[in-house]
Amino acid sequence: MSRPIRSFVLRQGRITPAQQRALDELLPKYGLAFPEPIRSEKPLVLEIGSGMGETTAAIAAAHPELDFVAIEVHGPGVGSLLNRIEAGRLTNLRVVRHDAVEVLEQMVPDASLAAIHLFFPDPWPKKRHHKRRLIQPAFVELAASRLAPGAYLHVATDWQEYAEHVLEVLRANPSLANTVADFAPRPATRPETKFERRGLKLGHGVWDIVFTRKP
Ligand SMILES: C[S@@+](CC[C@H](N)C(=O)[O-])C[C@H]1O[C@@H](n2cnc3c(N)ncnc32)[C@H](O)[C@@H]1O
């Protein structure tokens, strides 16, 4: 039987005792179970691939008027984010430990989101791995269908060739409109990370791409 091509490879990476404890004790508290539909009282922002959760937790803390759901498959990352939620007493951030494609398909109602954040998705630089890239026409169509009219999709990447690919795929989607002519200045809603600051000092670029769903 053929398996779907996924945008991640789950490796049995190292997990710290604190991250493991968070998965055991905090995931039941702050996690959302797949495939229960996501409901929210406030406008809802979905973050895909939250990694270790540093940016995710900072954004949620800065925006109590919004609800956030972070999707991540990597155990240590989920554990780390759960610890940040607990330490920051964040009441507006929940986590789903599952493939974001299936979460969008099964847990997120049509036209329900205020925004989707996709920060530094794996660029899969080798040509034979391009099929693993998250940003593809079918994924963008799915993501766009979950945005409310006027809501935005924000992708950031430090890989120029991927940035150009993202711009091309988003431009080709008839339900989305670019907020600027091509690449956007970094919106205030995306805090600069340590990793990014170091890269910028070394002369590496970061590209932000922000499209909205047409009314
Ligand atoms: C390069 S990391 C970036 C993490 C974080 N956004 C940051 O800026 O530091 C990409 C993350 O996306 C996650 N990821 C990739 N595909 C995913 C998917 N289909 N569903 C959920 N998470 C995914 C990976 O596990 C990884 O943690």
Side-chain angles (χ1 to χ4, degrees), residues 170-191:
L170 297 195
R171 273 184 177 149
N173 185 293
S175 346
L176 296 176
N178 202 346
T179 52
V180 289
D182 41 50
F183 296 109
R186 179 174 60 81
T189 42
R190 186 178 71 74

mmCIF file of all heavy atoms in Angstrom, residues 170-191:
data_model
loop_
_atom_site.group_PDB
_atom_site.id
_atom_site.type_symbol
_atom_site.label_atom_id
_atom_site.label_comp_id
_atom_site.label_asym_id
_atom_site.label_seq_id
_atom_site.Cartn_x
_atom_site.Cartn_y
_atom_site.Cartn_z
ATOM 1 N N LEU A 170 1.580 30.618 -4.096
ATOM 2 C CA LEU A 170 0.502 31.430 -3.515
ATOM 3 C C LEU A 170 -0.137 32.327 -4.578
ATOM 4 O O LEU A 170 -1.357 32.502 -4.610
ATOM 5 C CB LEU A 170 0.999 32.263 -2.334
ATOM 6 C CG LEU A 170 1.524 31.510 -1.103
ATOM 7 C CD1 LEU A 170 1.618 32.448 0.098
ATOM 8 C CD2 LEU A 170 0.661 30.329 -0.726
ATOM 9 N N ARG A 171 0.710 32.886 -5.434
ATOM 10 C CA ARG A 171 0.170 33.745 -6.508
ATOM 11 C C ARG A 171 -0.769 32.980 -7.427
ATOM 12 O O ARG A 171 -1.708 33.546 -7.976
ATOM 13 C CB ARG A 171 1.320 34.279 -7.363
ATOM 14 C CG ARG A 171 1.907 35.549 -6.816
ATOM 15 C CD ARG A 171 2.972 36.053 -7.772
ATOM 16 N NE ARG A 171 3.507 37.315 -7.314
ATOM 17 C CZ ARG A 171 4.758 37.718 -7.523
ATOM 18 N NH1 ARG A 171 5.602 36.950 -8.193
ATOM 19 N NH2 ARG A 171 5.161 38.880 -7.083
ATOM 20 N N ALA A 172 -0.504 31.699 -7.601
ATOM 21 C CA ALA A 172 -1.303 30.894 -8.538
ATOM 22 C C ALA A 172 -2.644 30.488 -7.945
ATOM 23 O O ALA A 172 -3.506 29.975 -8.651
ATOM 24 C CB ALA A 172 -0.508 29.646 -8.933
ATOM 25 N N ASN A 173 -2.829 30.724 -6.633
ATOM 26 C CA ASN A 173 -4.102 30.320 -6.021
ATOM 27 C C ASN A 173 -5.143 31.432 -6.212
ATOM 28 O O ASN A 173 -4.950 32.554 -5.735
ATOM 29 C CB ASN A 173 -3.904 30.018 -4.533
ATOM 30 C CG ASN A 173 -5.188 29.491 -3.923
ATOM 31 O OD1 ASN A 173 -6.169 30.215 -3.824
ATOM 32 N ND2 ASN A 173 -5.203 28.232 -3.575
ATOM 33 N N PRO A 174 -6.275 31.125 -6.859
ATOM 34 C CA PRO A 174 -7.239 32.181 -7.187
ATOM 35 C C PRO A 174 -7.955 32.779 -5.980
ATOM 36 O O PRO A 174 -8.504 33.878 -6.077
ATOM 37 C CB PRO A 174 -8.241 31.474 -8.114
ATOM 38 C CG PRO A 174 -8.076 30.023 -7.841
ATOM 39 C CD PRO A 174 -6.661 29.809 -7.377
ATOM 40 N N SER A 175 -7.958 32.089 -4.826
ATOM 41 C CA SER A 175 -8.662 32.681 -3.664
ATOM 42 C C SER A 175 -7.777 33.584 -2.833
ATOM 43 O O SER A 175 -8.259 34.174 -1.864
ATOM 44 C CB SER A 175 -9.232 31.633 -2.705
ATOM 45 O OG SER A 175 -9.258 30.395 -3.220
ATOM 46 N N LEU A 176 -6.479 33.665 -3.153
ATOM 47 C CA LEU A 176 -5.573 34.463 -2.331
ATOM 48 C C LEU A 176 -5.085 35.694 -3.077
ATOM 49 O O LEU A 176 -4.938 35.676 -4.294
ATOM 50 C CB LEU A 176 -4.362 33.611 -1.924
ATOM 51 C CG LEU A 176 -4.653 32.399 -1.034
ATOM 52 C CD1 LEU A 176 -3.376 31.596 -0.805
ATOM 53 C CD2 LEU A 176 -5.266 32.822 0.293
ATOM 54 N N ALA A 177 -4.804 36.759 -2.298
ATOM 55 C CA ALA A 177 -4.248 37.990 -2.873
ATOM 56 C C ALA A 177 -3.033 38.405 -2.058
ATOM 57 O O ALA A 177 -3.061 38.342 -0.815
ATOM 58 C CB ALA A 177 -5.290 39.101 -2.838
ATOM 59 N N ASN A 178 -1.977 38.823 -2.736
ATOM 60 C CA ASN A 178 -0.790 39.283 -2.025
ATOM 61 C C ASN A 178 -1.088 40.614 -1.333
ATOM 62 O O ASN A 178 -1.820 41.454 -1.865
ATOM 63 C CB ASN A 178 0.380 39.439 -3.015
ATOM 64 C CG ASN A 178 1.733 39.389 -2.321
ATOM 65 O OD1 ASN A 178 1.817 39.488 -1.092
ATOM 66 N ND2 ASN A 178 2.793 39.237 -3.093
ATOM 67 N N THR A 179 -0.504 40.817 -0.139
ATOM 68 C CA THR A 179 -0.726 42.081 0.569
ATOM 69 C C THR A 179 0.214 43.171 0.052
ATOM 70 O O THR A 179 0.021 44.350 0.351
ATOM 71 C CB THR A 179 -0.467 41.898 2.088
ATOM 72 O OG1 THR A 179 0.832 41.295 2.257
ATOM 73 C CG2 THR A 179 -1.511 41.007 2.720
ATOM 74 N N VAL A 180 1.272 42.750 -0.649
ATOM 75 C CA VAL A 180 2.243 43.691 -1.226
ATOM 76 C C VAL A 180 2.588 43.179 -2.639
ATOM 77 O O VAL A 180 2.018 42.187 -3.087
ATOM 78 C CB VAL A 180 3.537 43.779 -0.370
ATOM 79 C CG1 VAL A 180 3.285 44.493 0.947
ATOM 80 C CG2 VAL A 180 4.124 42.411 -0.131
ATOM 81 N N ALA A 181 3.563 43.821 -3.299
ATOM 82 C CA ALA A 181 3.872 43.409 -4.672
ATOM 83 C C ALA A 181 4.530 42.027 -4.714
ATOM 84 O O ALA A 181 4.176 41.190 -5.535
ATOM 85 C CB ALA A 181 4.780 44.437 -5.335
ATOM 86 N N ASP A 182 5.504 41.765 -3.854
ATOM 87 C CA ASP A 182 6.116 40.424 -3.811
ATOM 88 C C ASP A 182 6.404 39.992 -2.374
ATOM 89 O O ASP A 182 5.511 39.509 -1.706
ATOM 90 C CB ASP A 182 7.350 40.311 -4.729
ATOM 91 C CG ASP A 182 8.238 41.547 -4.687
ATOM 92 O OD1 ASP A 182 8.566 41.971 -3.568
ATOM 93 O OD2 ASP A 182 8.593 42.058 -5.759
ATOM 94 N N PHE A 183 7.656 40.219 -1.856
ATOM 95 C CA PHE A 183 7.927 39.835 -0.474
ATOM 96 C C PHE A 183 7.535 40.976 0.462
ATOM 97 O O PHE A 183 7.673 42.150 0.115
ATOM 98 C CB PHE A 183 9.407 39.462 -0.307
ATOM 99 C CG PHE A 183 9.777 38.251 -1.126
ATOM 100 C CD1 PHE A 183 10.582 38.364 -2.254
ATOM 101 C CD2 PHE A 183 9.285 36.996 -0.794
ATOM 102 C CE1 PHE A 183 10.900 37.249 -3.027
ATOM 103 C CE2 PHE A 183 9.594 35.881 -1.559
ATOM 104 C CZ PHE A 183 10.401 36.015 -2.672
ATOM 105 N N ALA A 184 7.067 40.596 1.655
ATOM 106 C CA ALA A 184 6.556 41.602 2.599
ATOM 107 C C ALA A 184 7.642 41.958 3.613
ATOM 108 O O ALA A 184 8.495 41.131 3.926
ATOM 109 C CB ALA A 184 5.339 41.039 3.325
ATOM 110 N N PRO A 185 7.600 43.175 4.164
ATOM 111 C CA PRO A 185 8.466 43.451 5.314
ATOM 112 C C PRO A 185 8.016 42.574 6.487
ATOM 113 O O PRO A 185 6.840 42.205 6.544
ATOM 114 C CB PRO A 185 8.211 44.933 5.614
ATOM 115 C CG PRO A 185 7.061 45.341 4.781
ATOM 116 C CD PRO A 185 6.721 44.278 3.799
ATOM 117 N N ARG A 186 8.932 42.223 7.388
ATOM 118 C CA ARG A 186 8.544 41.357 8.514
ATOM 119 C C ARG A 186 7.426 42.003 9.316
ATOM 120 O O ARG A 186 7.610 43.090 9.854
ATOM 121 C CB ARG A 186 9.743 41.092 9.435
ATOM 122 C CG ARG A 186 9.388 40.214 10.649
ATOM 123 C CD ARG A 186 10.618 39.846 11.460
ATOM 124 N NE ARG A 186 11.303 41.011 11.977
ATOM 125 C CZ ARG A 186 10.941 41.688 13.067
ATOM 126 N NH1 ARG A 186 9.890 41.304 13.766
ATOM 127 N NH2 ARG A 186 11.607 42.743 13.458
ATOM 128 N N PRO A 187 6.242 41.365 9.374
ATOM 129 C CA PRO A 187 5.159 41.966 10.144
ATOM 130 C C PRO A 187 5.485 41.924 11.643
ATOM 131 O O PRO A 187 6.183 41.017 12.091
ATOM 132 C CB PRO A 187 3.955 41.070 9.848
ATOM 133 C CG PRO A 187 4.343 40.228 8.682
ATOM 134 C CD PRO A 187 5.829 40.116 8.724
ATOM 135 N N ALA A 188 4.963 42.901 12.391
ATOM 136 C CA ALA A 188 5.227 42.971 13.835
ATOM 137 C C ALA A 188 4.711 41.721 14.541
ATOM 138 O O ALA A 188 5.180 41.375 15.629
ATOM 139 C CB ALA A 188 4.573 44.215 14.413
ATOM 140 N N THR A 189 3.766 41.017 13.930
ATOM 141 C CA THR A 189 3.215 39.803 14.553
ATOM 142 C C THR A 189 4.212 38.643 14.535
ATOM 143 O O THR A 189 3.949 37.613 15.139
ATOM 144 C CB THR A 189 1.942 39.351 13.818
ATOM 145 O OG1 THR A 189 2.157 39.493 12.413
ATOM 146 C CG2 THR A 189 0.734 40.141 14.250
ATOM 147 N N ARG A 190 5.335 38.796 13.844
ATOM 148 C CA ARG A 190 6.352 37.721 13.881
ATOM 149 C C ARG A 190 7.621 38.263 14.533
ATOM 150 O O ARG A 190 8.400 38.947 13.893
ATOM 151 C CB ARG A 190 6.677 37.214 12.468
ATOM 152 C CG ARG A 190 7.616 36.002 12.503
ATOM 153 C CD ARG A 190 7.910 35.461 11.136
ATOM 154 N NE ARG A 190 8.762 36.302 10.320
ATOM 155 C CZ ARG A 190 10.083 36.450 10.505
ATOM 156 N NH1 ARG A 190 10.684 35.824 11.493
ATOM 157 N NH2 ARG A 190 10.784 37.244 9.711
ATOM 158 N N PRO A 191 7.828 37.967 15.819
ATOM 159 C CA PRO A 191 9.046 38.459 16.471
ATOM 160 C C PRO A 191 10.279 37.810 15.849
ATOM 161 O O PRO A 191 10.232 36.659 15.429
ATOM 162 C CB PRO A 191 8.886 38.018 17.925
ATOM 163 C CG PRO A 191 7.617 37.278 18.033
ATOM 164 C CD PRO A 191 6.988 37.166 16.704
#
